[in-house]
Amino acid sequence: MYNWKKQRERAAFLALANGAVFRGWSFGAPVDTAGEAVFNTGMSGYQEILTDPSYAGQFVTLTAPEIGNYGCNPQDVESRGLFLNGLVIHELNEPSNCRSEESLSGYLKRNGKPGIAGIDTRSLTVMLRDEGSQKAYLHTADEPLSEAEAVDRARAWAGLDGQDYAAKVTAGKPYEWNREGDFHVAAFDFGIKYNILRGMAENGMRVTVLPAAATAADALALKPDGVFLSNGPADPAALRYAIDAIRTLAGKVPLFGICLGHQLFGLASGAECGRLKFGHHGCNHPVRNLLTGRVEITSQNHNFALKAETLPAALEVTHINLNDNTIEGIRHKTEPAASVQFHPEAAPGPHDAGCLFRQFRQLMER
């Protein structure tokens, strides 16, 4: 039986660059690290969040108060590892579920990732909402560290702006996800999630995954029917090599992008991207589909968004976020290319937008 009482004796704290300090107790790996503090409003799906490469460089604060109830298992992972910098929660629970094979604390510890529990996540979330995402430093190691020094380390951290984190999370070499399908897709891996690959496979696509730094020539050499641009972490403007590749591919082959891939498609088309105050992170964000008039509940994870006033005439907006009116989808008016900011593969999350994979297939069919 896991000794929760003993675990609670390991004091820990999260120090923000604005000087605020949130105290609690540590679980997972006892290591110190810097990162960007954000909050996720999903009620479940913490293992999928942990294994989403788009969270690389970030401390994810879960707004749901009780975490760990259903444990962890090998079936719910969304990538080959854990890429976030740490997990911040209110209450850690002992798992009780027939699918559980490992506790959340044990899962984090085995993967070398720290967690902090026992803090007022509601207060932290309100602060991040009001003041914006914060550079932070998480202290869970046994070595003593003053709170003032932790604040200084948070302020000194380079942050995510202007940083190429896709290079840190991408696969090292090309690989085939599946070998069956009547359409062949070359997928750029900027931090791709497994459920995206499953979504394409379920819609009759044979997928070859390419590293983030692959060139347009690398993709075209596969003679694909379409090219997919994946989700991923940090600042899209830092991926100049990807923007150049997409600009070369545009008009030569059908394109479809998700999340970071959406931002990169916009940048390659001549739009500009800017940072959101606290980002969109959760599986309950309403988006209006301007093509159908329907409101779709979506899963989201991003800190940057395309600037509407910079969108070139060749692109049209297809989706709008109903919380802040930011762009959530675009398509090219004359070429077979489209993208969305949210996650239609929904892991975790709803399935309202799952038809987008079918629409990508239709682009290739036409």
Side-chain angles (χ1 to χ4, degrees):
M1 181 66 68
Y2 194 78
N3 192 335
W4 299 104
K5 182 177 180 181
K6 182 179 180 181
Q7 180 71 48
R8 290 175 184 269
E9 295 173 355
R10 288 176 49 196
F13 62 82
L14 178 73
L16 305 185
N18 66 1
V21 176
F22 292 83
R23 301 169 187 86
W25 52 275
S26 71
F27 65 100
V31 297
D32 284 8
T33 185
E36 180 180 75
V38 300
F39 62 89
N40 183 294
T41 55
M43 296 294 289
S44 63
Y46 54 79
Q47 190 174 356
E48 291 91 337
I49 291 169
L50 293 172
T51 54
D52 181 352
S54 296
Y55 281 114
Q58 295 181 320
F59 297 131
V60 181
T61 302
L62 299 179
T63 60
E66 304 284 336
I67 304 297
N69 312 55
Y70 53 84
C72 299
N73 64 74
Q75 291 75 43
D76 290 343
V77 301
E78 279 299 312
S79 68
R80 66 184 185 281
L82 278 66
F83 294 98
L84 82 174
N85 283 21
L87 185 65
V88 182
I89 66 173
H90 175 67
E91 184 67 28
L92 178 64
N93 291 334
E94 188 173 1
S96 178
N97 185 281
C98 62
R99 298 178 70 241
S100 175
E101 297 184 20
E102 190 173 14
S103 71
L104 175 57
S105 183
Y107 186 62
L108 284 174
K109 186 174 184 179
R110 180 168 60 83
N111 286 277
K113 299 296 182 179
I116 182 170
I119 73 168
D120 185 351
T121 50
R122 178 174 294 181
S123 177
L124 174 57
T125 298
V126 170
M127 181 176 291
L128 296 176
R129 185 192 64 195
D130 291 345
E131 300 185 28
S133 301
Q134 291 278 324
K135 294 182 182 180
Y137 193 84
L138 180 58
H139 172 61
T140 65
D142 296 328
E143 294 78 14
L145 179 72
S146 72
E147 294 177 355
E149 174 62 22
V151 171
D152 288 342
R153 292 185 183 184
R155 292 170 177 168
W157 180 58
L160 298 180
D161 292 53
Q163 303 295 313
D164 177 6
Y165 269 63
K168 298 182 180 183
V169 302
T170 188
K173 57 184 179 179
Y175 65 91
E176 290 187 350
W177 173 257
N178 62 313
R179 297 178 179 234
E180 297 181 357
D182 50 350
F183 286 97
H184 183 203
V185 172
F188 280 80
D189 173 17
F190 305 119
I192 201 164
K193 293 171 65 178
Y194 287 165
N195 220 36
I196 288 175
L197 295 168
R198 296 185 192 106
M200 288 191 284
E202 288 169 359
N203 282 274
M205 305 175 205
R206 177 170 62 90
V207 185
T208 300
V209 182
L210 299 174
T215 64
D218 294 331
L220 293 173
L222 298 173
K223 301 187 185 315
D225 299 295
V227 170
F228 175 76
L229 313 171
S230 87
N231 63 293
D235 189 347
L239 278 65
R240 296 308 312 177
Y241 55 87
I243 295 169
D244 291 341
I246 296 166
R247 189 176 290 126
T248 301
L249 290 167
K252 294 184 173 66
V253 63
L255 298 174
F256 179 52
I258 288 175
C259 195
L260 181 66
H262 158 80
Q263 298 161 6
L264 292 171
F265 170 54
L267 289 171
S269 302
E272 296 178 11
C273 217
R275 176 180 264 279
L276 297 170
K277 184 177 181 180
F278 48 81
H280 298 155
H281 310 280
C283 51
N284 45 14
H285 291 243
V287 166
R288 183 179 295 280
N289 185 328
L290 300 181
L291 303 179
T292 66
R294 294 182 58 195
V295 174
E296 300 167 352
I297 303 303
T298 66
S299 180
Q300 308 217 7
N301 178 18
H302 59 100
N303 275 22
F304 295 81
L306 295 176
K307 296 180 179 180
E309 67 274 15
T310 70
L311 217 62
L315 298 180
E316 66 175 322
V317 178
T318 59
H319 298 76
I320 289 290
N321 188 299
L322 292 182
N323 286 332
D324 59 11
N325 292 317
T326 52
I327 294 175
E328 289 282 353
I330 56 175
R331 69 178 180 183
H332 201 282
K333 292 179 180 178
T334 59
E335 296 172 358
S339 63
V340 291
Q341 181 68 81
F342 52 90
H343 287 262
E345 83 287 351
H351 302 278
D352 296 25
C355 62
L356 287 171
F357 290 111
R358 294 195 298 275
Q359 292 175 18
F360 180 34
R361 179 183 172 90
Q362 289 167 2
L363 283 181
M364 294 184 285
E365 290 173 346
R366 291 198 294 266

